[in-house]
């Protein structure tokens, strides 16, 4: 099933709902979203550092990079390149659309 | 056996010297012409002139180094780390000089650090290093 953005711009497909729930099903990926919601726009290096020292998540950079790819596929994380660097940002639009699916109609 | 040197890949001696001496504040310790155009340049911290030396290695175009540096840059990984007294103060000092940071000062688990672009193709970390 495809998810559309709420409101008048709802034509655009956000992401496949299954991908969103799959992405959210993992505790490390939820911690990544927690981290980005507190400090948006982090490099992989910073994210790994924060996950280790703040959350005691000792996953390798390789593993965190794979988690980020799954979050990106679900459009929960967006990547912006600035020059040679890559920064990760949280994107809450799919979550809002999910919320509206059940709470939006009465 | 002791650790005496650490090398930084660079593309151009003068550009690297300007940044590492004028902006970061290191001083030249050695500058020997090894062969035509090849110099052996090392820098030290004025706070620790007998400490480890930093070698400016002109290997930026070597494909192995190029691949390594591109991969590190993309993921924001610093090539080395320098100790400072106060990360926040150093961050503000360097920012005022136009240095670009990929990671603002962050503090966690007794460590404080930040990461900047050395304008010579490397990311460098500055850190307040706790006692072992």
């Amino acid at each position: 099933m495809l998810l559309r953005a709420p409101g008048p711009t709802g034509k655009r497909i956000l992401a496949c709902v299954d991908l969103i729930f799959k992405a959210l099903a993992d505790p490390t990926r939820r911690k990544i979203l927690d981290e980005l919601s507190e400090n948006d726009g982090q490099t992989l290096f910073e994210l790994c550092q924060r996950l280790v020292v703040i959350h005691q998540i000792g996953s390798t950079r390789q593993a965190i990079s794979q988690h980020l790819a799954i979050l990106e596929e679900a459009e929960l994380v967006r990547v912006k390149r600035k020059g040679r660097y890559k920064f990760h940002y949280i994107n809450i639009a799919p979550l809002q659309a999910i919320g509206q699916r059940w709470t939006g109609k009465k | 056996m002791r650790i005496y040197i650490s090398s930084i890949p660079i593309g151009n001696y003068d550009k690297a010297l300007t940044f590492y001496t004028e902006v970061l504040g290191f001083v030249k310790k050695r500058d020997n012409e090894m062969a035509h155009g090849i110099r052996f340049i090392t820098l030290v911290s004025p706070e620790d002139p007998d400490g480890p030396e930093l070698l400016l290695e002109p290997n930026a175009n070597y494909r192995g180094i190029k691949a390594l540096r591109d991969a590190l840059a993309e993921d924001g990984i610093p090539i080395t780390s320098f100790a400072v007294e106060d990360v926040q103060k150093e961050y503000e000092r360097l920012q005022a000089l136009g240095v670009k940071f990929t990671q603002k000062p962050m503090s966690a688990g007794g460590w404080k650090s930040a990461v900047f672009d050395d304008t010579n193709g490397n990311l460098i970390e500055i850190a307040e290093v706790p006692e072992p």
Side-chain angles (χ1 to χ4, degrees):
Chain A
M1 180 191 164
L2 296 170
L3 190 66
R4 288 167 197 282
T9 55
K11 294 252 159 65
R12 204 175 70 78
I13 294 162
L14 286 171
C16 177
V17 173
D18 291 346
L19 289 179
I20 297 169
F21 284 112
K22 187 188 151 207
L24 292 171
D26 181 90
T28 300
R29 289 198 285 273
R30 292 196 298 272
K31 275 279 177 257
I32 291 173
L33 294 178
D34 288 341
E35 254 312 316
L36 293 178
S37 71
E38 268 183 50
N39 296 282
D40 216 5
Q42 295 186 42
T43 62
L44 177 65
F45 178 72
E46 178 169 10
L47 205 46
C48 290
Q49 228 176 6
R50 285 177 181 275
L51 289 170
V52 169
V53 289
I54 302 172
H55 306 285
Q56 284 79 50
I57 295 173
S59 306
T60 60
R61 281 182 193 139
Q62 186 60 29
I64 298 301
S65 178
Q66 280 164 4
H67 283 310
L68 282 168
I70 291 168
L71 287 165
E72 236 186 289
E73 207 186 354
E75 293 203 42
L76 292 165
V77 163
R78 291 219 165 122
V79 166
K80 281 184 199 160
R81 284 179 184 272
K82 285 180 196 158
R84 303 165 67 212
Y85 311 120
K86 218 167 99 175
F87 296 90
H88 302 87
Y89 294 83
I90 187 170
N91 177 35
I92 57 166
L95 296 176
Q96 287 168 331
I98 282 179
Q100 284 226 334
R101 176 171 168 186
W102 290 289
T103 61
K105 349 178 166 156
K106 284 203 179 139
Chain B
M1 208 180 283
R2 63 196 177 85
I3 296 168
Y4 77 107
I5 214 161
S6 169
S7 71
I8 292 280
I10 58 148
N12 177 288
Y13 288 122
D14 293 333
K15 194 177 177 206
L17 272 173
T18 304
F19 185 84
Y20 278 85
T21 59
E22 289 172 23
V23 179
L24 297 192
F26 293 144
V27 290
K28 223 198 259 185
K29 180 152 183 173
R30 302 169 208 263
D31 187 352
N32 307 325
E33 177 121 18
M34 311 292 285
H36 183 71
I38 300 295
R39 288 151 75 186
F40 189 83
I41 302 177
T42 69
L43 307 171
V44 287
S45 162
E47 295 164 36
D48 190 12
D50 300 320
E53 297 168 43
L54 193 67
L55 172 69
L56 301 181
E57 205 163 358
N59 56 5
N61 292 325
Y62 167 59
R63 64 188 164 83
I65 292 292
K66 199 182 168 307
L68 172 73
R69 295 212 302 177
D70 286 347
L72 293 179
E74 179 168 279
D75 290 337
I77 302 172
I79 201 152
T80 192
S81 180
F82 299 135
V84 294
E85 283 282 311
D86 186 328
V87 166
Q88 183 63 34
K89 244 168 135 179
E90 196 59 31
Y91 167 74
E92 286 162 19
R93 184 185 80 83
L94 292 174
Q95 244 201 346
L97 292 170
V99 175
K100 297 268 184 287
F101 280 76
T102 60
Q103 193 172 315
K104 288 182 194 146
M106 75 155 219
S107 187
W111 284 81
K112 195 166 187 183
S113 63
V115 179
F116 64 84
D117 181 325
D118 78 347
T119 68
N120 285 270
N122 307 295
L123 287 175
I124 306 284
E125 180 183 63
I126 46 172
E128 277 170 43
V129 184
E131 290 297 315

